[in-house]
């Protein structure tokens, strides 16, 4: 399974998101640290989920980091996050 | 003091310095786009900060992730409090919350909050 589809599966299960955008931005980092041929090293994720309601930014991102701990310890070099509750 | 000397060093840094950015590279030569963006925000606000290059110290690089319970770098501390990483800094800067937070904590900036 690709890294992107692993991210999608895990985030969908954990957050039942209203909106989930996963962009592989690895090509923007060609030649930089952590870049690998084939990409899937640098991602941008935008996630809208009711689970974020009432939580501050740090708490929201920690939830995402927990769900993606295996990927962050392995193939993901960089993960830019935008975490919103519905209506924000 | 704890039994973890790396945590002690980190705690010392964030206690001794009002604003600390744990980053890849130095403020003058950032080695990563996210660290560079974070430096840019602080520089734009005219905040005096200490940049700590985790690439030059593997024990800090691992230790800060555990200390903050945050798996990525850069990481911003203000007056000993963990504020967040690059995305959070950027969002807070754009909304004016970062300027407000610095003002509330009594950190001097050259930009009005």
């Amino acid at each position: 399974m690709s890294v992107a589809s692993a991210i999608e599966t895990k985030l969908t299960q954990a957050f039942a998101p209203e909106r989930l955008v996963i962009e592989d931005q690895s090509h923007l980092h060609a030649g930089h640290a952590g870049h690998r041929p084939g990409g899937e090293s640098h991602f941008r994720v935008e996630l809208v989920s009711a689970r974020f309601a009432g939580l501050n930014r740090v708490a929201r991102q920690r939830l995402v980091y927990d769900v993606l701990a295996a990927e962050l310890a392995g193939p993901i070099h960089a993960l830019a996050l935008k975490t919103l509750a519905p209506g924000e | 003091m704890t039994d973890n000397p790396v945590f002690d060093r980190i705690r010392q840094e964030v206690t001794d310095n009002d604003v600390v950015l744990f980053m890849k590279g130095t403020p003058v030569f950032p080695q990563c786009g996210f660290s560079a963006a974070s430096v840019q925000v602080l520089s734009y606000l005219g905040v005096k900060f200490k940049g700590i290059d985790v690439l030059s110290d593997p024990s800090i690089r691992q230790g800060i992730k555990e200390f903050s319970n945050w798996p990525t770098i850069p990481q911003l501390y203000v007056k000993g409090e963990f504020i967040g990483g690059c995305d959070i800094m950027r969002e807070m800067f754009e909304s004016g919350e970062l300027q407000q937070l610095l003002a509330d904590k009594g950190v001097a900036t050259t930009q009005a909050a």
Side-chain angles (χ1 to χ4, degrees):
Chain A
M1 187 160 59
S2 74
V3 179
S5 51
I7 294 173
E8 184 178 1
T9 303
K10 289 189 174 182
L11 293 182
T12 302
Q13 281 172 2
F15 295 101
E18 280 186 11
R19 176 178 155 82
L20 173 60
V21 179
I22 301 171
E23 272 178 40
D24 183 347
Q25 298 190 318
S26 307
H27 61 285
L28 300 176
H29 300 270
H32 296 185
H35 183 264
R36 290 186 311 274
E40 299 229 285
S41 56
H42 295 66
F43 287 93
R44 191 188 78 86
V45 169
E46 197 176 320
L47 189 57
V48 179
S49 167
R51 278 200 63 194
F52 295 140
L55 298 176
N56 68 22
R57 291 188 175 89
V58 169
R60 291 175 182 192
Q61 292 205 12
R62 278 200 179 118
L63 285 180
V64 177
Y65 286 148
D66 282 345
V67 170
L68 298 180
E71 284 71 25
L72 282 161
I76 297 181
H77 177 75
L79 178 63
L81 285 177
K82 186 163 188 142
T83 47
L84 299 171
E88 288 182 345
Chain B
M1 294 291 283
T2 64
D3 53 6
N4 186 328
V6 176
F7 279 18
D8 288 337
R9 276 174 58 206
I10 292 170
R11 198 171 289 113
Q12 194 73 48
E13 292 286 7
V14 302
T15 306
D16 289 350
N17 302 283
D18 280 356
V19 183
V20 181
L21 185 68
F22 293 88
M23 60 180 292
K24 294 181 176 174
T26 65
V28 179
F29 291 109
Q31 302 282 329
C32 146
F34 302 98
S35 289
S38 303
V39 167
Q40 217 169 11
V41 166
L42 294 176
S43 302
Y44 180 83
L45 293 174
V47 178
K48 186 167 164 277
F49 69 99
K50 177 165 184 181
I52 295 179
D53 178 11
V54 303
L55 296 178
S56 67
D57 191 334
S59 67
I60 294 283
R61 182 177 187 172
Q62 187 53 38
I64 190 62
K65 295 179 182 178
E66 294 164 10
F67 184 84
S68 308
N69 182 26
W70 195 261
T72 58
I73 288 158
Q75 296 186 13
L76 178 70
Y77 276 81
V78 177
K79 295 262 175 151
E81 185 192 336
F82 174 63
I83 305 303
C86 179
D87 303 316
I88 289 178
M89 278 182 72
R90 215 167 353 200
E91 283 178 21
M92 289 181 73
F93 169 66
E94 284 166 5
S95 68
E97 286 165 86
L98 185 60
Q99 294 86 322
Q100 191 59 52
L101 175 107
L102 291 165
D104 290 347
K105 289 188 176 281
V107 175
T109 62
T110 54
Q111 293 269 316

